[in-house]
Amino acid sequence: MFKKGSIILVLLLFTLSVPGQQSMFKALFMFNFAKYIEWPTSSNQTEFVIGIYGNDDITPELKKLAAARKINSKSIVVVNVKNPSEAANANIFYIPSSKSGDIEKVTSFFKGKSTLIVTDKNGLCSKGASINYVTQDGKMKFEISKTNITKHNLKVDSKLISLGIETK
Amino acid sequence: MKIKALITLFIMMCITSSLLAQQKKDVNSITKAEVLEMTIEELSAYDLEEVMKLMDITGASSLEELYELLLNKDVTSASKSEESLFDSPLSTTVLKQEQIIASGATSIEEALRLVPGLIVREKTNGTYDVHIRGNDNIPGKNMLLYSENSNTLVMIDGRPVFNYSHGATLWETLPISFVDIEQIEVVRGPSSALYGPNAVTGVINILTKKTNSSSPLVSANLQGGSLNTYIGDLAFRKSFNEKLNIGLTGNYEIRDREKEELYVYNGGSSPEDFNYWLDGDDKAVGSDYYTTEQMSRLQLLNPYTRNEPLLNPKDGKPYYLWPAEGTNEYAIYDTYSTYPNPELSKKKMGVNAYVSFNPNKTTTIDLSGGYQYSDVMTSTMCDMPSSYGRKDSKTGYADLNIKIKDFSFQTNYNGGTTNYAIGNEGFELDLQQFTSQAEYNLKLEKISIRPGVSFQSMSYDDSKHLTELGRGYLNSKQTVNIAAGSLRLDYKPTEKLRLVAALRAEKYNNPSDVYGSWQFVGSYKINENNIFRAVYSRANQSAFLVNTYSNYSWNVVNRPYPNVIHFDGDKDHQLKTMDMFEIGYRIRPSKNVLIDIEGFYNITENGGALMPDYTSATFYNVVDAAIDIADNGQFDTNAPVAIPDSIHMTYLNMPLKSKQLGASVNVDWVISEKLVANAHITVQQTKLDNYLAYSRDDIIEYQVGKAVEQTIGLALHEMGQGGTVNPVQTISSSEYPTDFNNDYKHESTPSYFGGLSLTYRPIKKLEIFPQSYFYGAQKFENQYGDVNIDSKFLLNAKVSYKANDKLTLFLNGRNILNNKTVEFAYMDNTPTLVLVGFNFKL
């Protein structure tokens, strides 16, 4: 009996789960956000650029999507950058949780530019993020700030706002 | 040909559409297994609303929530602005409210056992001794007062809740409870440059919850069980709109001890050295646990006959340890009024109100206020025959915190009455503490500059609580004022490198001196998952009322001598300072593991204590003793008889230097959604230089001896000259022993201590939290002897059942191995508690 218990415990200790699922849904969310956002037409960019600040598990998921899908008939390009200036033409710029401390640096760099800033840390919509992933009662949700989106010359469909948690 | 092509096209369309139909299943009927099998490409065919439903089906988020809760915390106390805990330049730990509740901790102090580097010892049911890293009970061989932690600054939302009268934190006087707490932030290492004096070994900043639109209207926690232990709290929170939020909380706690007997020390441990006579039972007794009724019958034993009480030659009556009320003019508290409920260990209640007003996005105004009442039985802060003392406190506070863009201003008041030693006249004091500070955080591209000013004023007044002036320890209102200026520079020359310098200068009214404290930190973030840091910092204690302004005359009525001991503070004393060197390394070997390693070396100097600086005695046989020693240099027939008469105690700085070397490791591991593990351990060694192994009584004896030597020398000289010598003389000495010890191993701090915990959720509704806390053996040096404390392994466990989103029921066992050994010298055996309770949210 004791032996069996020990084996179960050992198994439990070494059953490392695969933490990829959440990143996949974050990438899917992001891909879908783009359907509800309108970028200014003046841009003659031929690619849809998603900038990711640093390294994050969302990158491989987005790259899989980029290989299979397009956004607004444009190919998706995913770039990992060490500095926002390396993705100056980004349509979406994502700040992973680990880089949340640099939000002000990112918002000041993209100020006035047509970039949707997506973050992953509680409360970042109040610091300038357009859309922010949050976890509530075990469920991933997203906060959305219409004010912050329109500040970046973007238009947002009210449907997207209704699906998220609107912050003012 | 055309028809063939059309048929082919039709067939292909059919195949494609069936394939697509096969790919895109109805979200309302799809199973979890089917979703898990899908690739991201397949899932991308669904729109956002459908993706959200699919995600709910997989329930994939709880693991992420665990990462967020346990591994990706934010902290504000280490840099005074919010940052990721991983990036914190100092040794920092954050305990979230959820973790505290899950752990089953029954008090804030007990919850601190989850924090690396914290030594938490239970004294009586629900009262604790809390130290960061150690340096505890220095100087040793002294009163229990010096075991109180006066080296750590405890704050609630940045408001110091420190006791400036005696130093240290009276934990029971914290007005808040679990329901108030958002998180507890612990910064280890000297932090005066950020937070002002007394952040010597570190800072414990308790941040309260901010009400917002998602706050539950009502939340409550209640548990009760063994030893009449009932602990409950309740909060109402209401968010009127984005701009105005309010909260109202209340808490109550009551606990009993396992016995009603109290320890009386300094009575000897074996029949040969017993010092007391138990009247009524008529037998010699020693240090032991007694009821208050037995304590009222304890008398001093006649040391010569050893079978009767010692009688006072003045009135022929025995010396009672606790004379009955009215026996003489100083006996106004007997054992019953000192300990009216000896079985009660803790009773406390508090109410708090919070108003948060955010007129615009860049302005927040937080106002809070509250009241607390507490009554505890714990170690005495006075010098009494018993190691136990009762304290009660009734205080109120108001705290205003304004932030406008990068400018912050905080002002607060704490006032009321605290009795530090019930049953001793002179220790009940009215207190008024004001603190105000203003800071501006100027953020430039690579550097942020934070200048600040602060002013603190702490007044204590015992005069209203004395039967007559002169019987208090201050006998007036006395004040410690501190004006300070500070500057913090946070420079990030590159993405990876960060350099921080924080400086603070403090001007005290007494001692009239300027104290500097600082912090220099360099951190290098090798990559997202590795950060190395190094710290050099200095911090100091503040002046305390007892060290600065003591003016206490202790008329000793329960001992044959001395008649009086007078205690004086020293307005010009030096404040204790610590210098620390620390290196730290944080590593995230994988997304679900966080390892934090810190190594530290610190040197503490300029401590002190109330010690005899002058002893006066009566030498009854000067001539006989001089003649006796004159022949062969020895006392053969007439040993000197000299009895101390009055002793003058002053707060004396000591040359004592403490050197501590240690390291802590903390591992947080989210093994799976079902299992989370935490382990932390600290190892340390403390050595003392210039350590004088003398208690107060040893010094008195030494000074009497020196005075006798000098008097006999003078007498022999006088007699040699043919002069006459007075046979009975008043003698005195202020000499001090010089046999200092260096590299003396200080064993009051355990050489290792730490904790282990597991959170196991076999199903979503059930959570099992076993938690252990352990420490190595210690030797506690007290003025009445050394006490060996055995090493200990404590095991607690909480089982919670989440009935629904609103209600969680739980069973909570503390010390379930029933490991009774004492954790603190002369205090209670650790009780075992079994509690049942619930957490409720609406």
Side-chain angles (χ1 to χ4, degrees), chain B residues 398-586:
Chain B
D399 184 19
L400 175 67
N401 207 327
I402 300 173
K403 286 194 176 89
I404 305 168
K405 288 185 179 167
D406 295 321
F407 172 76
S408 62
F409 173 74
Q410 185 174 20
T411 185
N412 46 63
Y413 166 79
N414 189 30
T417 304
T418 299
N419 194 338
Y420 295 92
I422 292 173
N424 283 265
E425 188 176 12
F427 291 90
E428 186 170 11
L429 292 102
D430 293 336
L431 60 122
Q432 288 185 310
Q433 296 178 191
F434 292 97
T435 305
S436 291
Q437 58 180 24
E439 291 184 347
Y440 184 75
N441 194 17
L442 176 66
K443 287 186 240 174
L444 302 171
E445 196 183 346
K446 287 188 170 174
I447 190 166
S448 58
I449 302 165
R450 184 189 277 271
V453 288
S454 91
F455 181 73
Q456 284 178 280
S457 178
M458 283 73 70
S459 297
Y460 285 75
D461 184 0
D462 57 358
S463 59
K464 294 183 189 112
H465 303 281
L466 303 173
T467 52
E468 64 179 76
L469 272 183
R471 290 188 171 191
Y473 103 79
L474 297 174
N475 298 301
S476 61
K477 179 179 177 178
Q478 295 287 4
T479 305
V480 170
N481 288 330
I482 312 167
S486 61
L487 181 69
R488 184 177 182 278
L489 304 168
D490 197 327
Y491 177 49
K492 290 178 185 164
T494 70
E495 277 293 300
K496 295 180 171 181
L497 184 65
R498 179 178 178 188
L499 302 167
V500 180
L503 304 157
R504 181 182 166 104
E506 290 165 353
K507 172 81 179 78
Y508 289 79
N509 58 338
N510 289 302
S512 176
D513 212 346
V514 175
Y515 274 77
S517 53
W518 50 75
Q519 218 167 39
F520 297 103
V521 191
S523 79
Y524 189 75
K525 198 168 177 178
I526 301 158
N527 53 41
E528 286 304 312
N529 299 317
N530 292 272
I531 188 166
F532 174 80
R533 54 189 189 81
V535 184
Y536 164 55
S537 56
R538 166 177 287 190
N540 58 276
Q541 276 185 345
S542 69
F544 304 141
L545 277 288
V546 69
N547 299 344
T548 317
Y549 299 111
S550 273
N551 174 23
Y552 180 61
S553 289
W554 177 14
N555 291 284
V556 184
V557 293
N558 54 357
R559 299 183 195 184
Y561 59 86
N563 294 319
V564 65
I565 303 181
H566 189 82
F567 297 78
D568 263 339
D570 177 9
K571 287 181 182 168
D572 298 317
H573 70 280
Q574 288 182 308
L575 304 177
K576 187 199 265 188
T577 31
M578 177 190 277
D579 282 278
M580 181 199 72
F581 305 90
E582 182 184 72
I583 50 168
Y585 194 71
R586 281 187 204 104

Side-chain angles (χ1 to χ4, degrees), chain B residues 91-93 113-118 133 188 533 582-587 589 593-600 662-669 677-684 751-757 773-774:
Chain B
S91 291
T92 315
T93 301
R113 284 182 165 159
L114 299 165
V115 178
L118 266 81
R133 287 181 176 167
R188 291 173 288 280
R533 54 189 189 81
E582 182 184 72
I583 50 168
Y585 194 71
R586 281 187 204 104
I587 177 167
V593 181
L594 182 63
I595 302 170
D596 201 338
I597 304 164
E598 57 206 41
F600 54 89
S664 294
V665 179
N666 180 69
V667 180
D668 285 300
W669 185 13
N678 168 270
H680 63 88
I681 186 166
T682 300
V683 291
Q684 69 83 40
S751 59
Y752 67 91
F753 49 96
L756 290 165
S757 66
Y773 183 76
F774 57 83

Side-chain angles (χ1 to χ4, degrees), chain B residues 40-147:
Chain B
I40 190 165
E41 293 86 350
E42 287 166 339
L43 286 164
S44 66
Y46 293 90
D47 68 26
L48 183 58
E49 206 168 354
E50 290 169 325
V51 169
M52 290 170 89
K53 278 187 185 168
L54 294 171
M55 190 181 66
D56 286 351
I57 293 166
T58 65
S61 306
S62 52
L63 195 63
E64 199 72 14
E65 194 179 22
L66 285 174
Y67 293 154
E68 191 69 23
L69 178 69
L70 300 171
L71 306 180
N72 299 321
K73 295 172 189 170
D74 279 339
V75 65
T76 51
S77 298
S79 303
K80 287 206 161 181
S81 52
E82 195 173 275
E83 64 188 335
S84 156
L85 183 61
F86 189 80
D87 293 338
S88 166
L90 304 173
S91 291
T92 315
T93 301
V94 173
L95 266 190
K96 305 289 291 184
Q97 186 209 37
E98 294 90 330
Q99 285 177 282
I100 299 169
I101 300 271
S103 77
T106 56
S107 64
I108 293 170
E109 304 94 294
E110 195 189 358
L112 293 170
R113 284 182 165 159
L114 299 165
V115 178
L118 266 81
I119 307 164
V120 181
R121 307 174 177 102
E122 190 164 14
K123 292 179 174 179
T124 59
N125 182 11
T127 75
Y128 295 85
D129 167 65
V130 178
H131 277 82
I132 296 182
R133 287 181 176 167
N135 271 294
D136 43 345
N137 198 36
I138 295 176
K141 290 200 173 287
N142 217 302
M143 291 186 279
L144 283 169
L145 172 65
Y146 292 100
S147 70

Side-chain angles (χ1 to χ4, degrees), chain B residues 549-677:
Chain B
Y549 299 111
S550 273
N551 174 23
Y552 180 61
S553 289
W554 177 14
N555 291 284
V556 184
V557 293
N558 54 357
R559 299 183 195 184
Y561 59 86
N563 294 319
V564 65
I565 303 181
H566 189 82
F567 297 78
D568 263 339
D570 177 9
K571 287 181 182 168
D572 298 317
H573 70 280
Q574 288 182 308
L575 304 177
K576 187 199 265 188
T577 31
M578 177 190 277
D579 282 278
M580 181 199 72
F581 305 90
E582 182 184 72
I583 50 168
Y585 194 71
R586 281 187 204 104
I587 177 167
R588 218 195 294 267
S590 70
K591 195 175 175 179
N592 58 337
V593 181
L594 182 63
I595 302 170
D596 201 338
I597 304 164
E598 57 206 41
F600 54 89
Y601 177 70
N602 58 57
I603 301 165
T604 313
E605 290 176 287
N606 291 333
L610 285 161
M611 289 296 278
D613 70 333
Y614 181 87
T615 299
S616 174
T618 305
F619 191 174
Y620 289 95
N621 56 348
V622 181
V623 175
D624 292 344
I627 291 168
D628 187 3
I629 206 166
D631 51 3
N632 61 358
Q634 285 181 351
F635 296 112
D636 299 315
T637 49
N638 283 303
V641 178
I643 295 174
D645 210 15
S646 69
I647 291 143
H648 190 247
M649 308 263 289
T650 306
Y651 182 81
L652 294 179
N653 275 118
M654 298 173 171
L656 184 65
K657 186 178 184 181
S658 150
K659 303 172 293 181
Q660 187 190 28
L661 178 67
S664 294
V665 179
N666 180 69
V667 180
D668 285 300
W669 185 13
V670 179
I671 299 164
S672 73
E673 275 180 63
K674 291 183 174 176
L675 193 65
V676 176

Side-chain angles (χ1 to χ4, degrees), chain B residues 220-496:
Chain B
N221 306 294
L222 181 70
Q223 58 186 320
S226 17
L227 295 175
N228 287 322
T229 299
Y230 295 95
I231 304 158
D233 54 26
L234 179 66
F236 294 95
R237 291 190 169 90
K238 175 82 182 156
S239 173
F240 293 100
N241 50 49
E242 292 283 324
K243 293 182 176 170
L244 184 65
N245 302 291
I246 60 160
L248 192 64
T249 69
N251 59 76
Y252 182 76
E253 181 178 344
I254 189 161
R255 302 179 188 226
D256 275 353
R257 300 170 58 224
E258 280 184 325
K259 57 184 166 196
E260 63 173 61
E261 289 83 3
L262 299 161
Y263 193 70
V264 175
Y265 49 18
N266 201 22
S269 55
S270 60
E272 300 80 53
D273 63 359
F274 280 167
N275 293 330
Y276 302 140
W277 178 256
L278 186 59
D279 187 39
D281 289 22
D282 291 347
K283 60 175 184 184
V285 292
S287 300
D288 209 340
Y289 282 87
Y290 297 97
T291 64
T292 47
E293 187 276 327
Q294 288 169 324
M295 282 160 76
S296 72
R297 291 190 278 123
L298 282 176
Q299 303 167 346
L300 289 187
L301 180 70
N302 184 325
Y304 306 105
T305 63
R306 302 197 64 78
N307 59 4
E308 59 184 345
L310 182 69
L311 300 179
N312 186 338
K314 289 179 197 158
D315 55 12
K317 291 180 180 169
Y319 295 97
Y320 278 93
L321 248 61
W322 257 282
E325 203 174 311
T327 311
N328 59 56
E329 61 171 318
Y330 299 107
I332 55 174
Y333 298 101
D334 57 19
T335 55
Y336 305 106
S337 55
T338 304
Y339 306 108
N341 302 305
E343 72 287 349
L344 179 80
S345 65
K346 185 181 190 184
K347 186 161 82 174
K348 69 173 283 223
M349 59 84 68
V351 286
N352 302 275
Y354 305 89
V355 179
S356 168
F357 179 59
N358 311 315
N360 56 53
K361 282 211 155 186
T362 52
T363 307
T364 59
I365 301 168
D366 288 297
L367 177 67
S368 59
Y371 173 83
Q372 69 75 225
Y373 163 77
S374 62
D375 180 355
V376 291
M377 173 83 86
T378 183
S379 61
T380 178
M381 294 181 82
C382 202
D383 189 8
M384 306 204 293
S386 172
S387 52
Y388 289 85
R390 266 185 66 224
K391 289 178 279 182
D392 68 14
S393 186
K394 298 182 188 86
T395 62
Y397 75 94
D399 184 19
L400 175 67
N401 207 327
I402 300 173
K403 286 194 176 89
I404 305 168
K405 288 185 179 167
D406 295 321
F407 172 76
S408 62
F409 173 74
Q410 185 174 20
T411 185
N412 46 63
Y413 166 79
N414 189 30
T417 304
T418 299
N419 194 338
Y420 295 92
I422 292 173
N424 283 265
E425 188 176 12
F427 291 90
E428 186 170 11
L429 292 102
D430 293 336
L431 60 122
Q432 288 185 310
Q433 296 178 191
F434 292 97
T435 305
S436 291
Q437 58 180 24
E439 291 184 347
Y440 184 75
N441 194 17
L442 176 66
K443 287 186 240 174
L444 302 171
E445 196 183 346
K446 287 188 170 174
I447 190 166
S448 58
I449 302 165
R450 184 189 277 271
V453 288
S454 91
F455 181 73
Q456 284 178 280
S457 178
M458 283 73 70
S459 297
Y460 285 75
D461 184 0
D462 57 358
S463 59
K464 294 183 189 112
H465 303 281
L466 303 173
T467 52
E468 64 179 76
L469 272 183
R471 290 188 171 191
Y473 103 79
L474 297 174
N475 298 301
S476 61
K477 179 179 177 178
Q478 295 287 4
T479 305
V480 170
N481 288 330
I482 312 167
S486 61
L487 181 69
R488 184 177 182 278
L489 304 168
D490 197 327
Y491 177 49
K492 290 178 185 164
T494 70
E495 277 293 300
K496 295 180 171 181

Side-chain angles (χ1 to χ4, degrees), chain A residues 53 82-84 93 95-109 119 124 127, chain B residues 82-84 87 492 495 525 528:
Chain A
Y53 201 178
K82 288 183 177 171
N83 204 305
F93 193 81
I95 310 176
S97 170
S98 60
K99 282 281 188 185
S100 301
D102 289 346
I103 173 91
E104 285 171 19
K105 187 175 167 183
V106 174
T107 52
S108 68
F109 178 79
T119 57
L124 287 197
K127 290 186 177 174
Chain B
E82 195 173 275
E83 64 188 335
S84 156
D87 293 338
K492 290 178 185 164
E495 277 293 300
K525 198 168 177 178
E528 286 304 312

